Amino acid sequence: MARDPVSTSGGGVEPINVNYTVETQNRPNNAGSTKMAMALTKPAMMGAGILALGTAALGVFDIFRVPGLEDQIKELEAEVDRLEGEIDRLSGLNDDYEDLNELLEDEVAELALINDELNATTTDLEGQVKNLTIEVVELNETTQELYTRGEDLEELNQELNQTQVDLKVEIDELQGLETSLNETNELLKDRIEDLEDTVDDLNNVTQGLNQSIIQLDATIDDVTQLNSNLEEAIEALTDVSDFMNNVHSGYEESLSSVLLALRNSVNQRRGTVFLGLFNYYADIINNWDCINKNLFGQDAFFKNQSASIIGTSGPSKFGDLTETLKERQLVLMCTTELNFIEYLTYRFGAIGSITYDNMLSAASEYGGLAMAHYGLPRGTCTTDDCVSEEEWEEGEFDCNNVENFVWTAPP
């Protein structure tokens, strides 16, 4: 630290400079050593020496008594007094500076300790920053994973929403199917009651036939006995021809009545059987597609029934639909899948353009042609090109035992 120079009115006095130099260095165990050097220059001491020389000179030159010298000496003495006061003041300042220097040493030592603590804190904070950096990187990775997981969950949520919509549609369809099945069940109940009535009628007819057979056997026994009696009568009484004619006439009338009753019973039974056969095949034709909604309801060709089956859903779906028709209609009516395909393409063109509507129409038309071939309903077979009632009876009303239906293209 430098002090401003001290000026005097007499001039010629050099300034007094006080310089402080403080050096610090780290000491082990958070302690530091401080070295202070203080240099104090006192030109005023030279002035004191000059003053002494001046006093001596005064005694030497007192003899000479230079005019005005006394005034100068007084001024010089006053200046010396002032300089001594300044020296005292500077000595006090020097003491103050020494005290300040001790305080500075303490402050420097404390600051060195604080500096060491700050260095340790800095090292610790650097470690924490490093750890936090690692955690930030890990958190970024976790955030990215959570973001990816969120996208996956969003996609899954969309799929679940779509599944929910699809399930609702299927539930509605199943409810509609349940209603349809309930209605069909009621119809089947009515049909079962009709069939039970038919069975009762057939049982009654059978009982009537059995009774007629018994009566016929009895009649035959009577006729046999009557013939024996007639032979005896012819041998004994040749003139009873009128009586024999009367007896013969009565026999013819009785036999005709029995044959008429038998014919009516057989005809009634045959009509019932043919009605049941007709209803059986009609149900097959009308209801073969009743499960198609469950099997193909989600396929494009079923949703758009006027579009190509193969074009919208592929050849495999066309094969599945044809297989369903085969199992539920064609085989039961003793026809073949190949023959139906020939009729289908004849009616609606190439396989690749066939629609579901085309398939429904062709199946109904083809089934109707097969019914006509089998003489159903009863009474429609009037030529040799269809199956007669006698052929059905000989075949035990099984289409496998009669001539099967085969469609042929018109010339």
Side-chain angles (χ1 to χ4, degrees):
M1 180 176 64
R3 298 284 296 180
D4 292 334
V6 179
S7 62
T8 63
S9 60
V13 180
E14 293 182 1
I16 298 174
N17 296 323
V18 180
N19 295 328
Y20 292 92
T21 301
V22 180
E23 297 180 355
T24 63
Q25 66 180 12
N26 292 334
R27 292 182 298 176
N29 298 325
N30 294 327
S33 62
T34 306
K35 292 181 179 181
M36 175 175 284
M38 182 180 68
L40 179 61
T41 61
K42 300 180 178 179
M45 298 299 293
M46 296 178 63
I50 294 173
L51 180 59
L53 292 176
T55 301
L58 182 59
V60 174
F61 295 103
D62 185 46
I63 301 174
F64 300 98
R65 295 290 180 179
V66 179
L69 181 61
E70 292 181 358
D71 294 334
Q72 292 180 358
I73 290 172
K74 291 180 180 179
E75 290 178 359
L76 183 60
E77 290 177 349
E79 184 66 22
V80 168
D81 292 337
R82 190 187 65 78
L83 287 174
E84 289 178 349
E86 186 68 20
I87 289 170
D88 293 336
R89 188 181 67 81
L90 289 176
S91 298
L93 287 176
N94 186 55
D95 294 337
D96 293 338
Y97 287 142
E98 289 178 354
D99 294 337
L100 289 175
N101 185 53
E102 292 178 356
L103 291 175
L104 286 174
E105 289 179 352
D106 295 338
E107 290 291 335
V108 168
E110 185 176 355
L111 289 174
L113 180 62
I114 293 174
N115 183 58
D116 292 339
E117 292 177 352
L118 289 175
N119 289 334
T121 302
T122 300
T123 302
D124 184 47
L125 289 176
E126 288 176 351
Q128 293 182 11
V129 168
K130 184 176 181 181
N131 293 332
L132 288 175
T133 302
I134 295 173
E135 291 181 359
V136 168
V137 173
E138 293 177 350
L139 286 175
N140 289 334
E141 294 176 353
T142 303
T143 301
Q144 184 62 34
E145 292 177 357
L146 291 175
Y147 180 76
T148 304
R149 180 72 61 81
E151 292 180 345
D152 295 339
L153 291 176
E154 179 65 23
E155 183 177 356
L156 179 60
N157 186 52
Q158 293 177 358
E159 293 177 356
L160 289 175
N161 290 335
Q162 184 61 40
T163 302
Q164 183 180 5
V165 173
D166 295 340
L167 287 175
K168 184 177 180 180
V169 173
E170 291 184 3
I171 288 173
D172 293 338
E173 293 177 352
L174 289 175
Q175 289 176 346
L177 178 60
E178 181 183 8
T179 301
S180 177
L181 289 175
N182 289 333
E183 294 175 354
T184 304
N185 188 47
E186 294 297 327
L187 293 175
L188 288 176
K189 287 181 179 179
D190 295 338
R191 181 62 57 83
I192 290 173
E193 292 177 356
D194 294 339
L195 290 176
E196 289 176 349
D197 294 339
T198 302
V199 170
D200 292 338
D201 293 338
L202 289 175
N203 290 332
N204 293 332
V205 171
T206 301
Q207 292 176 1
L209 289 174
N210 291 333
Q211 185 65 34
S212 298
I213 291 172
I214 294 173
Q215 293 176 358
L216 182 59
D217 290 338
T219 302
I220 292 173
D221 292 338
D222 292 341
V223 170
T224 302
Q225 183 64 39
L226 183 58
N227 285 334
S228 298
N229 293 334
L230 287 175
E231 289 177 356
E232 293 177 356
I234 290 172
E235 291 177 356
L237 301 170
T238 57
D239 59 344
V240 292
S241 58
D242 293 337
F243 174 76
M244 291 297 298
N245 289 331
N246 291 332
V247 173
H248 180 56
S249 177
Y251 168 75
E252 289 288 344
E253 293 177 359
S254 176
L255 185 59
S256 296
S257 298
V258 172
L259 292 176
L260 179 60
L262 289 173
R263 187 177 295 110
N264 290 337
S265 297
V266 171
N267 191 50
Q268 183 180 5
R269 176 180 177 276
R270 179 183 293 171
T272 301
V273 173
F274 272 98
L275 177 62
L277 186 63
F278 171 77
N279 290 334
Y280 172 70
Y281 283 140
D283 287 341
I284 289 174
I285 296 172
N286 294 329
N287 298 320
W288 78 270
D289 63 332
C290 66
I291 66 170
N292 287 354
K293 188 173 184 179
N294 293 334
L295 296 177
F296 309 107
Q298 299 303 315
D299 292 318
F301 80 85
F302 195 87
K303 294 179 179 179
N304 184 6
Q305 299 184 4
S306 61
S308 167
I309 298 174
I310 295 178
T312 57
S313 302
S316 61
K317 289 298 179 182
F318 180 83
D320 294 340
L321 182 62
T322 305
E323 184 67 22
T324 302
L325 174 64
K326 175 182 176 182
E327 293 177 356
R328 295 180 60 82
Q329 176 176 328
L330 301 179
V331 172
L332 298 178
M333 298 188 72
C334 299
T335 56
T336 64
E337 178 182 356
L338 180 61
N339 188 242
F340 171 76
I341 295 298
E342 291 178 1
Y343 177 78
L344 178 66
T345 54
Y346 172 79
R347 282 283 286 113
F348 298 105
I351 293 293
S353 63
I354 298 299
T355 67
Y356 184 67
D357 288 338
N358 297 153
M359 183 70 80
L360 293 177
S361 298
S364 178
E365 295 170 2
Y366 186 80
L369 294 175
M371 291 272 280
H373 169 76
Y374 290 131
L376 299 173
R378 185 187 182 193
T380 58
C381 181
T382 58
T383 66
D384 295 336
D385 296 333
C386 54
V387 180
S388 65
E389 294 183 8
E390 290 77 10
E391 290 174 329
W392 273 114
E393 290 178 351
E394 291 176 359
E396 298 179 350
F397 296 96
D398 186 349
C399 65
N400 290 300
N401 298 329
V402 299
E403 182 181 359
N404 295 154
F405 170 67
V406 177
W407 175 83
T408 56

